[in-house]
Coordinates of all heavy atoms in Angstrom, one line a residue:
M25 N 8.0 14.4 -9.7 CA 8.5 14.5 -8.4 C 8.2 13.3 -7.6 O 7.1 12.8 -7.6 CB 8.0 15.7 -7.7 CG 8.3 15.9 -6.2 SD 7.6 17.2 -5.3 CE 8.1 18.6 -6.2
S26 N 9.1 12.7 -6.9 CA 8.9 11.5 -6.0 C 8.3 11.9 -4.7 O 8.4 13.1 -4.3 CB 10.2 10.7 -5.8 OG 11.0 11.4 -4.9
V27 N 7.7 11.0 -4.0 CA 7.1 11.2 -2.7 C 8.3 11.6 -1.8 O 8.1 12.5 -1.0 CB 6.4 9.9 -2.2 CG1 6.0 10.1 -0.7 CG2 5.2 9.6 -3.1
R28 N 9.4 11.0 -1.9 CA 10.5 11.3 -1.0 C 10.9 12.7 -1.2 O 11.2 13.5 -0.2 CB 11.7 10.4 -1.3 CG 12.9 10.6 -0.4 CD 13.9 9.5 -0.5 NE 13.2 8.3 0.0 CZ 13.7 7.1 -0.1 NH1 14.8 6.9 -0.7 NH2 13.0 6.1 0.4
T29 N 11.0 13.2 -2.4 CA 11.4 14.6 -2.7 C 10.3 15.6 -2.1 O 10.6 16.6 -1.5 CB 11.5 14.8 -4.2 OG1 12.5 13.9 -4.7 CG2 11.9 16.2 -4.5
A30 N 9.1 15.2 -2.3 CA 8.0 16.1 -1.9 C 8.0 16.2 -0.3 O 7.7 17.3 0.2 CB 6.6 15.5 -2.3
F31 N 8.4 15.2 0.4 CA 8.4 15.2 1.8 C 9.7 15.6 2.4 O 9.9 15.7 3.6 CB 7.9 13.9 2.4 CG 6.5 13.6 2.2 CD1 6.1 12.5 1.5 CD2 5.5 14.4 2.7 CE1 4.7 12.2 1.3 CE2 4.2 14.2 2.5 CZ 3.8 13.1 1.8
A32 N 10.7 15.8 1.6 CA 12.1 16.1 2.1 C 12.0 17.4 2.9 O 11.4 18.4 2.6 CB 13.0 16.3 0.9
G33 N 12.7 17.3 4.1 CA 12.8 18.5 5.0 C 11.6 18.6 5.9 O 11.7 19.5 6.8
M34 N 10.6 17.8 5.8 CA 9.5 17.9 6.7 C 9.8 17.2 8.0 O 10.3 16.1 7.9 CB 8.2 17.4 6.0 CG 7.7 18.2 4.9 SD 6.2 17.5 4.2 CE 5.0 18.2 5.3
R35 N 9.5 17.8 9.1 CA 9.7 17.1 10.4 C 8.6 16.3 10.8 O 8.8 15.2 11.4 CB 10.1 18.2 11.4 CG 11.3 18.9 11.1 CD 11.5 20.1 12.1 NE 12.6 20.9 11.6 CZ 13.7 21.0 12.3 NH1 13.9 20.4 13.4 NH2 14.7 21.8 11.8
R36 N 7.4 16.7 10.6 CA 6.2 15.9 11.0 C 5.2 16.0 9.9 O 4.9 17.0 9.4 CB 5.6 16.6 12.3 CG 4.5 15.8 12.8 CD 4.0 16.3 14.2 NE 3.0 15.5 14.7 CZ 1.7 15.6 14.4 NH1 1.3 16.5 13.6 NH2 0.8 14.8 15.0
V37 N 4.7 14.8 9.6 CA 3.7 14.7 8.5 C 2.4 14.1 9.1 O 2.4 13.2 10.0 CB 4.2 13.7 7.4 CG1 3.2 13.5 6.3 CG2 5.5 14.2 6.8
A38 N 1.3 14.7 8.7 CA 0.0 14.2 9.2 C -0.2 12.8 8.7 O 0.4 12.3 7.8 CB -1.1 15.1 8.7
D39 N -1.0 12.1 9.5 CA -1.3 10.7 9.1 C -1.8 10.6 7.7 O -2.7 11.4 7.3 CB -2.3 10.1 10.1 CG -1.8 9.9 11.5 OD1 -0.6 9.8 11.6 OD2 -2.6 9.9 12.4
V40 N -1.3 9.7 6.9 CA -1.7 9.5 5.6 C -2.8 8.5 5.5 O -2.9 7.5 6.2 CB -0.5 8.9 4.7 CG1 -0.9 8.6 3.3 CG2 0.7 9.9 4.8
V41 N -3.8 8.8 4.7 CA -5.0 8.0 4.5 C -5.1 7.6 3.0 O -4.9 8.4 2.1 CB -6.3 8.7 4.9 CG1 -7.5 7.8 4.7 CG2 -6.2 9.1 6.4
F42 N -5.3 6.3 2.8 CA -5.4 5.8 1.4 C -6.9 5.3 1.2 O -7.5 4.7 2.0 CB -4.5 4.5 1.3 CG -3.1 4.8 1.5 CD1 -2.5 4.7 2.7 CD2 -2.3 5.3 0.4 CE1 -1.1 5.0 2.9 CE2 -0.9 5.6 0.6 CZ -0.4 5.4 1.9
R43 N -7.3 5.6 0.0 CA -8.7 5.2 -0.4 C -8.5 3.8 -1.0 O -7.6 3.5 -1.7 CB -9.2 6.1 -1.5 CG -9.6 7.4 -1.0 CD -10.2 8.3 -2.1 NE -10.4 9.6 -1.6 CZ -10.7 10.6 -2.3 NH1 -11.0 10.4 -3.6 NH2 -10.8 11.8 -1.9
A44 N -9.5 3.0 -0.7 CA -9.5 1.6 -1.2 C -10.9 1.1 -1.4 O -11.9 1.7 -0.9 CB -8.8 0.7 -0.1
G45 N -11.0 -0.1 -2.0 CA -12.3 -0.7 -2.2 C -12.2 -2.2 -2.1 O -11.2 -2.8 -2.4
C46 N -13.3 -2.8 -1.7 CA -13.4 -4.2 -1.6 C -14.1 -4.8 -2.8 O -15.2 -4.4 -3.2 CB -14.2 -4.6 -0.4 SG -14.4 -6.4 -0.1
P47 N -13.4 -5.8 -3.5 CA -14.0 -6.4 -4.7 C -15.2 -7.4 -4.3 O -16.0 -7.7 -5.1 CB -12.9 -7.2 -5.3 CG -11.9 -7.4 -4.2 CD -12.0 -6.2 -3.3
D48 N -15.2 -7.8 -3.0 CA -16.3 -8.7 -2.6 C -17.6 -8.0 -2.3 O -18.6 -8.3 -2.9 CB -15.8 -9.5 -1.4 CG -14.7 -10.5 -1.7 OD1 -14.4 -10.8 -2.9 OD2 -14.2 -11.1 -0.7
C49 N -17.5 -7.0 -1.4 CA -18.8 -6.4 -1.0 C -19.0 -5.0 -1.7 O -20.0 -4.3 -1.5 CB -18.8 -6.2 0.5 SG -17.7 -5.0 1.2
R50 N -18.0 -4.6 -2.5 CA -18.0 -3.3 -3.2 C -18.0 -2.1 -2.3 O -18.3 -1.0 -2.8 CB -19.3 -3.2 -4.1 CG -19.4 -4.4 -5.1 CD -18.7 -4.0 -6.4 NE -18.9 -5.0 -7.4 CZ -18.0 -5.3 -8.2 NH1 -16.8 -4.7 -8.2 NH2 -18.2 -6.3 -9.1
A51 N -17.7 -2.2 -1.1 CA -17.6 -1.0 -0.2 C -16.4 -0.2 -0.6 O -15.4 -0.7 -1.0 CB -17.5 -1.5 1.3
R52 N -16.5 1.1 -0.3 CA -15.4 2.0 -0.6 C -15.1 2.7 0.8 O -16.0 3.0 1.5 CB -15.7 3.0 -1.6 CG -16.0 2.3 -3.0 CD -15.9 3.1 -4.2 NE -14.7 3.7 -4.6 CZ -13.6 3.0 -5.0 NH1 -13.6 1.7 -5.1 NH2 -12.5 3.7 -5.3
F53 N -13.8 2.8 1.1 CA -13.4 3.3 2.4 C -12.0 3.9 2.4 O -11.3 3.8 1.4 CB -13.5 2.2 3.5 CG -13.0 0.9 2.9 CD1 -11.7 0.6 2.9 CD2 -13.9 0.0 2.4 CE1 -11.2 -0.6 2.4 CE2 -13.4 -1.3 1.9 CZ -12.1 -1.5 1.9
E54 N -11.6 4.5 3.5 CA -10.3 5.0 3.7 C -9.6 4.2 4.8 O -10.2 3.8 5.8 CB -10.3 6.4 4.1 CG -10.9 7.3 3.0 CD -10.9 8.8 3.3 OE1 -10.8 9.1 4.5 OE2 -10.9 9.6 2.4
L55 N -8.3 3.9 4.5 CA -7.5 3.1 5.4 C -6.2 3.9 5.8 O -5.6 4.5 4.9 CB -7.1 1.8 4.8 CG -8.2 0.8 4.5 CD1 -7.6 -0.4 3.6 CD2 -8.8 0.3 5.7
G56 N -5.8 3.8 7.0 CA -4.5 4.3 7.4 C -3.4 3.4 7.0 O -3.6 2.2 6.7
A57 N -2.1 3.9 7.0 CA -1.0 3.1 6.6 C -0.9 1.8 7.4 O -0.4 0.8 6.9 CB 0.3 3.9 6.8
S58 N -1.2 1.8 8.7 CA -1.1 0.6 9.5 C -2.0 -0.5 9.1 O -1.8 -1.7 9.5 CB -1.3 1.0 11.0 OG -2.6 1.4 11.2
A59 N -3.1 -0.2 8.3 CA -4.0 -1.2 7.9 C -3.6 -1.9 6.6 O -4.3 -2.9 6.2 CB -5.4 -0.6 7.7
L60 N -2.6 -1.4 6.0 CA -2.1 -2.0 4.7 C -0.8 -2.7 4.9 O 0.0 -2.3 5.7 CB -2.0 -0.8 3.7 CG -3.2 -0.1 3.3 CD1 -2.9 1.3 2.8 CD2 -4.0 -0.9 2.2
R61 N -0.5 -3.6 4.0 CA 0.8 -4.3 3.9 C 1.2 -4.3 2.5 O 0.4 -4.6 1.6 CB 0.7 -5.7 4.4 CG 0.3 -5.9 5.9 CD 1.4 -5.4 6.8 NE 1.0 -5.4 8.2 CZ 0.5 -4.4 8.8 NH1 0.2 -3.3 8.2 NH2 0.1 -4.5 10.1
L62 N 2.5 -4.1 2.2 CA 3.0 -4.1 0.9 C 4.1 -5.2 0.8 O 4.9 -5.3 1.6 CB 3.6 -2.8 0.5 CG 4.4 -2.6 -0.8 CD1 3.4 -2.8 -2.0 CD2 5.1 -1.2 -0.8
A63 N 3.9 -6.1 -0.3 CA 4.9 -7.1 -0.5 C 5.6 -6.8 -1.9 O 4.9 -6.7 -2.9 CB 4.3 -8.5 -0.5
V64 N 6.9 -6.6 -1.9 CA 7.6 -6.3 -3.1 C 8.4 -7.5 -3.5 O 9.3 -7.9 -2.8 CB 8.6 -5.1 -2.9 CG1 9.3 -4.8 -4.2 CG2 7.8 -3.9 -2.4
G65 N 8.0 -8.0 -4.7 CA 8.7 -9.2 -5.2 C 9.7 -8.8 -6.3 O 9.9 -7.7 -6.6
A66 N 10.2 -9.9 -7.0 CA 11.2 -9.7 -8.0 C 10.5 -9.2 -9.3 O 11.2 -8.6 -10.2 CB 11.9 -11.0 -8.3
T67 N 9.2 -9.4 -9.5 CA 8.5 -9.0 -10.7 C 7.3 -8.3 -10.3 O 6.8 -8.3 -9.2 CB 8.2 -10.2 -11.6 OG1 7.2 -11.0 -10.9 CG2 9.4 -11.1 -11.9
S68 N 6.6 -7.7 -11.3 CA 5.4 -7.0 -11.1 C 4.3 -8.0 -10.7 O 3.3 -7.6 -10.0 CB 4.9 -6.2 -12.4 OG 4.8 -7.1 -13.5
K69 N 4.4 -9.2 -11.1 CA 3.4 -10.2 -10.8 C 3.5 -10.7 -9.3 O 2.6 -11.2 -8.7 CB 3.5 -11.5 -11.7 CG 3.1 -11.2 -13.1 CD 3.2 -12.4 -13.9 CE 2.7 -12.1 -15.3 NZ 2.6 -13.3 -16.2
T70 N 4.7 -10.4 -8.7 CA 4.8 -10.8 -7.3 C 4.9 -9.6 -6.3 O 5.3 -9.7 -5.2 CB 6.1 -11.7 -7.1 OG1 7.2 -10.9 -7.6 CG2 6.0 -13.0 -7.8
T71 N 4.5 -8.5 -6.8 CA 4.4 -7.2 -6.0 C 2.9 -6.9 -5.8 O 2.2 -6.7 -6.8 CB 5.2 -6.1 -6.7 OG1 6.6 -6.5 -6.8 CG2 5.1 -4.8 -5.9
F72 N 2.5 -6.8 -4.6 CA 1.1 -6.5 -4.3 C 1.0 -5.8 -2.9 O 1.9 -5.8 -2.1 CB 0.3 -7.8 -4.3 CG 0.8 -8.8 -3.3 CD1 0.3 -8.8 -2.0 CD2 1.8 -9.7 -3.5 CE1 0.7 -9.7 -1.0 CE2 2.3 -10.6 -2.6 CZ 1.7 -10.6 -1.3
Y73 N -0.2 -5.3 -2.7 CA -0.6 -4.8 -1.3 C -1.8 -5.5 -0.9 O -2.6 -6.0 -1.7 CB -0.7 -3.3 -1.3 CG -1.9 -2.7 -2.1 CD1 -3.1 -2.4 -1.5 CD2 -1.8 -2.5 -3.5 CE1 -4.1 -1.8 -2.2 CE2 -2.8 -2.0 -4.2 CZ -4.0 -1.6 -3.6 OH -5.1 -1.1 -4.3
S74 N -2.0 -5.6 0.4 CA -3.1 -6.3 1.0 C -3.7 -5.6 2.2 O -3.0 -4.8 2.8 CB -2.7 -7.7 1.3 OG -1.7 -7.7 2.3
F75 N -5.0 -5.9 2.5 CA -5.6 -5.3 3.6 C -6.9 -6.2 3.9 O -7.3 -7.0 3.1 CB -6.0 -3.9 3.4 CG -6.9 -3.6 2.2 CD1 -8.3 -3.7 2.3 CD2 -6.4 -3.4 0.9 CE1 -9.1 -3.5 1.2 CE2 -7.2 -3.2 -0.2 CZ -8.5 -3.2 -0.1
T76 N -7.5 -6.0 5.0 CA -8.7 -6.6 5.4 C -9.8 -5.6 5.2 O -9.7 -4.5 5.8 CB -8.7 -7.1 6.8 OG1 -7.6 -8.1 6.9 CG2 -10.0 -7.8 7.2
C77 N -10.9 -6.0 4.5 CA -12.0 -5.1 4.3 C -12.7 -4.8 5.7 O -13.1 -5.7 6.4 CB -13.1 -5.7 3.4 SG -14.6 -4.6 3.2
P78 N -12.8 -3.5 6.1 CA -13.4 -3.2 7.4 C -15.0 -3.4 7.4 O -15.6 -3.5 8.4 CB -13.1 -1.7 7.6 CG -12.9 -1.2 6.2 CD -12.3 -2.3 5.4
E79 N -15.5 -3.6 6.2 CA -17.0 -3.8 6.1 C -17.4 -5.3 6.2 O -18.3 -5.6 6.9 CB -17.5 -3.2 4.8 CG -17.4 -1.7 4.6 CD -18.2 -0.9 5.6 OE1 -19.3 -1.3 5.9 OE2 -17.7 0.1 6.1
C80 N -16.7 -6.1 5.4 CA -17.1 -7.5 5.3 C -16.0 -8.5 5.9 O -16.3 -9.7 6.0 CB -17.5 -7.9 3.9 SG -16.1 -8.0 2.8
G81 N -14.9 -8.0 6.2 CA -13.8 -8.8 6.7 C -13.0 -9.6 5.7 O -12.2 -10.5 6.1
A82 N -13.3 -9.4 4.5 CA -12.6 -10.2 3.4 C -11.1 -9.8 3.4 O -10.8 -8.6 3.6 CB -13.2 -10.0 2.1
S83 N -10.2 -10.8 3.1 CA -8.8 -10.5 2.8 C -8.7 -10.0 1.4 O -9.1 -10.8 0.5 CB -7.9 -11.7 3.1 OG -8.0 -12.0 4.5
V84 N -8.1 -8.9 1.2 CA -8.0 -8.3 -0.2 C -6.6 -8.2 -0.6 O -5.7 -7.7 0.2 CB -8.7 -6.9 -0.3 CG1 -8.6 -6.4 -1.7 CG2 -10.2 -7.0 0.1
R85 N -6.3 -8.6 -1.8 CA -4.9 -8.6 -2.3 C -5.0 -8.0 -3.7 O -5.7 -8.5 -4.6 CB -4.3 -10.0 -2.4 CG -2.9 -10.0 -2.9 CD -2.4 -11.4 -2.8 NE -1.3 -11.6 -3.7 CZ -0.4 -12.6 -3.7 NH1 -0.6 -13.6 -2.8 NH2 0.5 -12.7 -4.6
K86 N -4.2 -6.9 -3.9 CA -4.3 -6.2 -5.2 C -2.8 -6.0 -5.7 O -1.9 -5.8 -5.0 CB -5.0 -4.8 -5.1 CG -6.4 -5.0 -4.7 CD -7.1 -3.7 -4.8 CE -8.6 -3.8 -4.6 NZ -9.4 -2.6 -4.8
P87 N -2.7 -6.0 -7.1 CA -1.3 -5.8 -7.6 C -0.9 -4.3 -7.4 O -1.7 -3.4 -7.3 CB -1.5 -6.0 -9.1 CG -3.0 -6.0 -9.4 CD -3.7 -6.3 -8.1
A88 N 0.4 -4.2 -7.2 CA 1.0 -2.9 -7.0 C 2.1 -2.6 -8.0 O 3.1 -3.2 -8.0 CB 1.5 -2.8 -5.6
G89 N 1.8 -1.6 -8.9 CA 2.8 -1.2 -9.8 C 3.7 -0.2 -9.2 O 3.7 0.1 -8.0
E90 N 4.7 0.3 -10.0 CA 5.7 1.1 -9.4 C 5.2 2.4 -8.7 O 5.7 2.7 -7.6 CB 6.6 1.5 -10.6 CG 7.9 2.3 -10.2 CD 8.8 2.5 -11.4 OE1 9.0 1.6 -12.2 OE2 9.2 3.7 -11.5
R91 N 4.2 3.0 -9.3 CA 3.7 4.2 -8.7 C 3.0 3.9 -7.4 O 3.1 4.7 -6.4 CB 2.7 4.9 -9.7 CG 2.0 6.1 -9.1 CD 3.0 7.3 -9.1 NE 2.3 8.5 -8.7 CZ 2.8 9.3 -7.8 NH1 4.0 9.2 -7.3 NH2 2.1 10.4 -7.5
I92 N 2.2 2.8 -7.3 CA 1.5 2.4 -6.1 C 2.6 2.1 -5.0 O 2.4 2.5 -3.8 CB 0.6 1.2 -6.3 CG1 -0.5 1.6 -7.3 CG2 0.0 0.7 -5.0 CD1 -1.5 2.6 -6.8
V93 N 3.6 1.4 -5.3 CA 4.7 1.1 -4.4 C 5.3 2.4 -3.8 O 5.5 2.5 -2.6 CB 5.8 0.2 -5.0 CG1 7.0 0.1 -4.1 CG2 5.2 -1.2 -5.4
E94 N 5.6 3.3 -4.7 CA 6.1 4.6 -4.3 C 5.2 5.3 -3.3 O 5.6 5.8 -2.3 CB 6.4 5.5 -5.5 CG 7.1 6.8 -5.2 CD 7.4 7.5 -6.5 OE1 7.9 6.9 -7.4 OE2 7.1 8.8 -6.5
L95 N 3.9 5.4 -3.6 CA 2.9 6.1 -2.8 C 2.8 5.4 -1.4 O 2.8 6.0 -0.4 CB 1.6 6.2 -3.5 CG 1.5 7.1 -4.7 CD1 0.2 6.9 -5.4 CD2 1.7 8.5 -4.2
L96 N 2.7 4.1 -1.4 CA 2.5 3.3 -0.2 C 3.7 3.4 0.7 O 3.6 3.6 1.9 CB 2.2 1.9 -0.5 CG 0.8 1.6 -1.1 CD1 0.6 0.1 -1.4 CD2 -0.3 2.1 -0.3
T97 N 4.9 3.2 0.2 CA 6.1 3.3 1.0 C 6.3 4.8 1.5 O 6.7 5.0 2.6 CB 7.4 2.9 0.2 OG1 7.5 3.6 -1.0 CG2 7.3 1.4 -0.1
G98 N 6.0 5.7 0.7 CA 6.1 7.1 1.1 C 5.1 7.5 2.2 O 5.4 8.4 3.0
G99 N 4.0 6.8 2.2 CA 3.0 7.0 3.2 C 3.1 6.2 4.4 O 2.3 6.3 5.3
G100 N 4.2 5.5 4.6 CA 4.5 4.8 5.8 C 3.9 3.3 5.9 O 3.9 2.8 7.0
V101 N 3.5 2.8 4.8 CA 3.0 1.4 4.8 C 4.2 0.4 5.0 O 5.2 0.6 4.3 CB 2.2 1.1 3.5 CG1 1.9 -0.4 3.4 CG2 1.0 1.9 3.4
R102 N 4.0 -0.5 5.9 CA 5.1 -1.5 6.2 C 5.3 -2.4 4.9 O 4.3 -2.8 4.3 CB 4.7 -2.4 7.3 CG 4.9 -1.7 8.7 CD 4.9 -2.6 9.8 NE 3.5 -2.7 10.2 CZ 3.1 -3.5 11.2 NH1 3.9 -4.3 11.8 NH2 1.8 -3.6 11.5
T103 N 6.5 -2.6 4.6 CA 6.9 -3.3 3.4 C 7.7 -4.6 3.7 O 8.6 -4.6 4.5 CB 7.8 -2.4 2.5 OG1 7.1 -1.2 2.2 CG2 8.1 -3.0 1.2
L104 N 7.3 -5.6 3.0 CA 8.0 -6.9 3.1 C 8.6 -7.1 1.7 O 8.0 -7.1 0.7 CB 7.0 -8.0 3.3 CG 7.5 -9.5 3.2 CD1 8.5 -9.7 4.4 CD2 6.3 -10.4 3.3
R105 N 9.9 -7.4 1.7 CA 10.6 -7.7 0.5 C 10.7 -9.2 0.3 O 11.2 -9.9 1.2 CB 12.0 -7.1 0.5 CG 12.0 -5.6 0.7 CD 12.9 -4.9 -0.3 NE 12.9 -3.5 -0.1 CZ 12.2 -2.6 -0.9 NH1 11.6 -3.1 -1.9 NH2 12.2 -1.3 -0.7
L106 N 10.2 -9.7 -0.8 CA 10.2 -11.1 -1.1 C 11.5 -11.5 -1.8 O 11.9 -10.8 -2.7 CB 9.0 -11.5 -1.9 CG 7.6 -11.1 -1.4 CD1 6.5 -11.4 -2.3 CD2 7.3 -11.8 0.0
H107 N 12.1 -12.5 -1.3 CA 13.4 -13.0 -1.9 C 13.1 -14.3 -2.7 O 12.4 -15.2 -2.2 CB 14.4 -13.2 -0.9 CG 14.8 -11.9 -0.1 ND1 15.6 -11.0 -0.7 CD2 14.4 -11.5 1.1 CE1 15.7 -10.0 0.2 NE2 15.0 -10.3 1.2
S108 N 13.8 -14.4 -3.8 CA 13.8 -15.7 -4.5 C 14.6 -16.7 -3.9 O 15.7 -16.4 -3.3 CB 14.3 -15.4 -6.0 OG 14.4 -16.6 -6.7
T109 N 14.2 -18.0 -4.0 CA 15.0 -19.1 -3.4 C 15.9 -19.6 -4.4 O 16.6 -20.6 -4.1 CB 14.0 -20.2 -2.9 OG1 13.2 -20.6 -4.0 CG2 13.2 -19.7 -1.7
L110 N 16.0 -19.1 -5.6 CA 16.9 -19.6 -6.6 C 18.3 -18.9 -6.5 O 18.5 -17.9 -6.1 CB 16.4 -19.3 -8.0 CG 15.0 -20.0 -8.3 CD1 14.6 -19.6 -9.6 CD2 15.2 -21.5 -8.2

């Protein structure tokens, strides 16, 4: 079942919270959709999500597979579609 199907017909959804971790300071925390950004590229190597660690301030960038993209977009994370210049 897709996220879209699961939420179909719902009028109001509670704020979605995502669990994340920082590879620099090893902190684990929860972030709201507004704290994350998703970039969808032409390939899996150019598709990623990013956030700023609330503990140490590091910029974190992690790869996003198909399932992660589905969860993040379904949870309201802003998405940037990357276009090829070719």
